[in-house]
Amino acid sequence: MFAVLPLVYLVVRAGDKGAAFAWAYLRRDSTVELVVRSLALTVTVTVACLVLGVGLAFVTTRVALPGRAVWMTLAALPLAIPSYVSAYAWISALPSLAGFGGAALVLTACTYPYVYLPVAAALSRTDPALEEMARSLGRTPWQTFRSVTLRQLRPAAASGALLVALYVLSDFGAVSLMRFDAFTRVIYTSYRASFDRTPAAVLSLVLVVITVAITMGEVRSRGKAQQWRTGAGAARVPVPLVLGRRTTLAAIGGCLAAALLSLGVPLASLAYWIGRGSSLDLDWSRLAGAGVTTVLVSAAGAVVCVLLAIPVGVLAARHRSPAVRMIEQATFAGHALPGIVVALALIFFATRYARPLYLEMPLVIAAYVVLFLPAAVGAVRASVALSSPRVEEIARGLGRSPYGVLGAVTLPLAAPGVAAGAALVMLTCMKELPATLLLHPTGSETLAIRLWSLTRVGSYADAAPYAAALVLLAALPTVWLGQALRQRLDSTETVP
Amino acid sequence: MSVRRGLLAFVATLLAALATLSACSEPEADLVIYSGRSEELVAPLIEDMEAELDIAVDVRYGDSAELAAQLLEEGDATEADLFFSQDAGALSALAQAGLLSDLDQNVLDVVADRYQDPQGRWVATSARARVVTYDPTQAPEATEFDSVDDLLQEKYRGEIGFAPTNASFQSFVTALRVTRGDDAARQWLEDFSALEPAAYENNIAVLEAVNGGDVSLGLINHYYWYQMQQELGAEAMNAKIHYLDSEDAGALVNVAGVGVLRSSEAADLAADAVDFLLSEQAQQYFADETAEYPVREGVESTTYDLVPLEKIDSAPIDLNDLGSLEETLALLDEVGLT
């Protein structure tokens, strides 16, 4: 329901001036160019993220690399860095980056973990038996990788790529700092220019159509493939690949370059600004207050998202009826909407039909649900899809009720993936800005809000501690994500 | 199953924490202000206001355009009594939507006609001027400039800094269109663009670039220079500023202002608050703290040596003509300056 609310709002607003106006606006050359430009950025970043994410995932989970644990954590950490912080770091160091190249670089550096995390999780969980069989039947390692490993990774990689694509389409901070006219930036400026909501609503609807098309493409690419283990019993942990010295160096070089681009530059810039400012002036209690609010609201957002995502995700993984598909895609539509559109839709709704909730925390959480439910659904679906429905059928056969099966078999098996999804959602909630800004209760503030209001007046030095706190807080769930991954690889005991 | 029980306990704790959080963050305020001006700037002034009027004020900070969007969407259901905007555009949008009520004539009388809505629905609280900042070692001749046309010289190729996304730059372009007509404005922008000017994120970055000698000229608002000079000390400040001829769009004077929401249930308090923002005390604050121009006559900055507003404010541009931002953005898009 929540996910569809912004759509209804958009249709109401886009129709304000009649269908003829909307149609004329759509057919303008600049609208067409805008679609092409945004799609070019989306495709570039998604492809780059797939290559980087799958490559890093394979190297860190399957290769006997020195310091593997460290690389794993580092590869996930860029998630902790908001794209607007990263974009600011880059553009203040290299002003000439502005434009397509800069936007693509920053967005790739910030979003490849969306591919890395699910793929690495899937790699560490897939049964090596299939690959060993392929090898024993005469396939070369490269052929095995292509025909067996990659195929097993497809659901995880595709759901990660979908998140990346949707993130790129809805990102506002990075593209506007890079002065690249993508959808969100044009929607924002067209709105600001005339205070007329009709063109903005028309453009937003175009964005929704693109999102739904991409989502359907992803569903199709998932296809009818089934990814289960070879048989019953425990899966073994894959044996790490030992590479020659040159390839090992190349692998380490790749990991290092990714870490430098996505972590090194933003952190160096933060350190520079903290060094420039006088930390004596810092109001610690205010910083702590903003930190506590941030954690509470994002954790609540994550929990609500995951609770709502479980039914949708399980259905999506197990039953592919048209109705289920529609529910799943409806949740995705909200995700591509710019935060400001979702926020305005909720304002429209709450001031008319839910006045007591207006400008209260539950409304902020509702916005998070609209924006980030797809991330949670993707995580639930991908992790449920990896366990065989045969196990559930056996449990049913042994007399469990359908809900009993869900609680006793499906969810425990999917638990690591679901927990990872919750951590992911919590991270994105922490970094979310436009909706939080418009909907937060007057008088309360989060780290992102404070960061924004300080950078707006150019107080970069004063803003740096808030940026650092945000990155640190966001790093905790990220590090945990990396460690959960590593423990699974390190443990020699078999997982039930 | 313990996982599920743990999760439930976690959810329960969270909800309880949120309930307490929202319960204690609500001391009922007498007056709610939506402020498009930043907290860093306005918060001390609001504290003074609370003391002076003996009321509790809640402020919601945001971007002027976003808050205007919010107010338009909230309509009569808004909790806001007062809108304090960074620019006149957002205020006129609200006025046109019928969301602002008429201000008292004795409040309006304090401020010159050109710094208020002709129908008296909003009034300016401070003003800012566009200036040319220059590096005196690279471009000492900037003091001779009369008009933005003087920037259009081959020797300044790649040497002019500007902030294309900044609202003040866009207002300048609107002023150019209003004073010279669209065709002449397009010609100026094309010539300007041909010189490959350096685009920066905001006015501060432009000024830093000029001060550091990266570029020799820059287009900014006057108060950024005064604030930076204050921060660095006069000896450490390299960049200087020059006011163009007052007839030129490059010397545009723009305003920040305030309006009372029609739906306000505390209209009297809101009117008192507007009164306070135009009082000598508040006007002195703007002049002394932000280096903006006070709009109340007779108030002068005691910390900044500002060029008197009377000397520059004769530019023949009506602020109410600056509403055509859409056409300006289309033009900027057309010539590729975004």
Side-chain angles (χ1 to χ4, degrees), chain A residues 391-404:
Chain A
V391 186
E392 291 165 21
E393 284 158 15
I394 293 167
R396 284 283 281 140
L398 292 175
R400 291 270 188 168
S401 71
Y403 288 103

Side-chain angles (χ1 to χ4, degrees), chain B:
Chain B
M1 283 304 95
S2 68
V3 176
R4 260 207 312 192
R5 206 167 299 151
L7 192 67
L8 274 179
F10 180 58
V11 175
T13 327
L14 263 180
L15 290 179
L18 274 177
T20 19
L21 200 71
S22 52
C24 60
S25 69
E26 271 191 71
E28 272 307 303
D30 303 305
L31 191 72
V32 176
I33 301 179
Y34 280 17
S35 172
R37 311 217 66 191
S38 74
E39 181 173 5
E40 278 47 50
L41 190 76
V42 167
L45 194 60
I46 301 292
E47 279 171 30
D48 291 348
M49 182 195 282
E50 288 182 306
E52 189 71 23
L53 303 178
D54 193 26
I55 53 172
V57 178
D58 249 356
V59 190
R60 189 173 184 84
Y61 294 98
D63 175 272
S64 294
E66 281 176 14
L67 287 174
Q70 184 159 10
L71 284 165
L72 285 169
E73 217 47 87
E74 289 175 346
D76 286 343
T78 187
E79 59 174 27
D81 301 298
L82 206 65
F83 179 45
F84 194 6
S85 171
Q86 182 79 7
D87 69 333
L91 283 165
S92 8
L94 292 188
Q96 273 163 29
L99 292 178
L100 298 183
S101 61
D102 299 341
L103 296 171
D104 276 351
Q105 194 54 45
N106 55 357
V107 171
L108 298 170
D109 286 345
V110 175
V111 178
D113 280 351
R114 45 179 316 201
Y115 298 134
Q116 53 178 277
D117 175 38
Q119 297 176 48
R121 293 164 300 186
W122 57 264
V123 63
T125 50
S126 60
R128 53 181 180 269
R130 293 293 288 175
V131 294
V132 173
T133 175
Y134 62 99
D135 176 359
T137 50
Q138 292 186 68
E141 68 281 6
T143 50
E144 308 294 323
F145 289 176
D146 293 325
S147 138
V148 283
D149 293 334
D150 295 326
L151 295 166
L152 303 176
Q153 299 180 45
E154 187 52 38
K155 61 177 169 180
Y156 299 135
R157 177 171 293 278
E159 286 294 325
I160 308 173
F162 76 125
T165 57
N166 183 269
S168 296
F169 173 77
Q170 292 164 354
S171 292
F172 149 69
V173 176
T174 310
L176 201 63
R177 287 178 41 237
V178 170
T179 51
R180 299 186 182 185
D182 279 359
D183 291 338
R186 178 182 294 110
Q187 189 59 50
W188 189 90
L189 287 169
E190 279 170 358
D191 295 346
F192 181 67
S193 174
L195 288 176
E196 297 163 8
Y200 291 90
E201 189 46 35
N202 52 36
N203 280 298
I204 297 167
V206 173
L207 181 53
E208 279 177 349
V210 174
N211 199 43
D214 296 343
V215 290
S216 44
L217 297 167
L219 296 170
I220 60 168
N221 292 343
H222 79 281
Y223 54 89
Y224 292 104
W225 184 84
Y226 286 97
Q227 288 172 7
M228 188 185 262
Q229 190 200 34
Q230 178 99 332
E231 194 186 316
L232 298 178
E235 8 8 284
M237 188 78 181
N238 175 42
K240 295 196 179 311
I241 48 172
H242 172 66
Y243 289 82
L244 295 173
D245 189 84
S246 56
E247 298 288 310
D248 194 81
L252 173 74
V253 176
N254 208 337
V255 299
V258 69
V260 175
L261 273 302
R262 191 177 281 283
S263 57
S264 169
E265 284 165 15
D268 290 346
L269 280 183
D272 290 346
V274 176
D275 240 358
F276 174 82
L277 288 173
L278 293 171
S279 70
E280 280 183 25
Q281 180 188 355
Q283 291 290 305
Q284 195 69 52
Y285 173 86
F286 288 125
D288 290 353
E289 295 297 321
T290 67
E292 287 176 291
Y293 286 108
V295 287
R296 187 188 182 99
E297 265 178 51
V299 178
E300 276 179 24
S301 178
T302 57
T303 43
Y304 297 106
D305 187 18
L306 298 178
V307 175
L309 189 57
E310 303 88 76
K311 278 200 176 172
I312 47 170
D313 74 350
S314 57
I317 300 156
D318 187 341
L319 282 179
N320 297 297
D321 291 339
L322 295 184
S324 55
L325 183 56
E326 205 169 7
E327 289 87 337
T328 298
L329 290 178
L331 186 58
L332 283 171
D333 192 40
E334 205 179 303
V335 298
L337 288 175
T338 50

Side-chain angles (χ1 to χ4, degrees), chain A residues 9 13 25 30 88 91 95 172 176-179 181 185 188-197 199 273 276 286 292-293 295-297 299-301 303-304 306-307 310 340 344-345 347-348 351-352 355 358-362 365 403 407-408 411-412 415 434 436-445 450 452-460 462, chain B residues 1 3-4 7-8 10-11 13-15 17-18 21-23 25-26 32-41 58-79 86-87 89-94 97 164-167 170 198-202 204-205 208 224 227 231-232 323-327 329 333 338:
Chain A
Y9 167 80
R13 278 289 167 238
Y25 194 85
S30 57
Y88 179 74
I91 196 128
F172 174 69
S176 44
L177 279 171
M178 287 294 172
R179 294 196 294 277
D181 269 324
R185 185 170 183 233
Y188 181 78
T189 38
S190 104
Y191 182 77
R192 210 198 64 198
S194 55
F195 297 96
D196 178 358
R197 283 152 290 181
W273 283 113
R276 253 183 73 158
R286 190 162 186 189
V292 169
T293 312
V295 170
L296 277 178
V297 180
V303 169
V304 177
V306 167
L307 289 181
I310 285 174
I340 182 171
L344 287 175
I347 290 173
F348 179 83
T351 49
R352 282 163 185 75
R355 193 66 185 74
Y358 187 55
L359 297 188
E360 298 293 345
M361 280 305 177
I365 292 166
Y403 288 103
L411 288 183
T436 316
L437 202 57
L438 286 189
L439 297 173
H440 73 273
T442 308
S444 72
E445 62 184 7
R450 192 84 188 110
W452 171 85
S453 79
L454 285 167
T455 47
R456 193 165 73 106
V457 290
S459 317
Y460 297 117
D462 295 334
Chain B
M1 283 304 95
V3 176
R4 260 207 312 192
L7 192 67
L8 274 179
F10 180 58
V11 175
T13 327
L14 263 180
L15 290 179
L18 274 177
L21 200 71
S22 52
S25 69
E26 271 191 71
V32 176
I33 301 179
Y34 280 17
S35 172
R37 311 217 66 191
S38 74
E39 181 173 5
E40 278 47 50
L41 190 76
D58 249 356
V59 190
R60 189 173 184 84
Y61 294 98
D63 175 272
S64 294
E66 281 176 14
L67 287 174
Q70 184 159 10
L71 284 165
L72 285 169
E73 217 47 87
E74 289 175 346
D76 286 343
T78 187
E79 59 174 27
Q86 182 79 7
D87 69 333
L91 283 165
S92 8
L94 292 188
T165 57
N166 183 269
Q170 292 164 354
Y200 291 90
E201 189 46 35
N202 52 36
I204 297 167
E208 279 177 349
Y224 292 104
Q227 288 172 7
E231 194 186 316
L232 298 178
S324 55
L325 183 56
E326 205 169 7
E327 289 87 337
L329 290 178
D333 192 40
T338 50

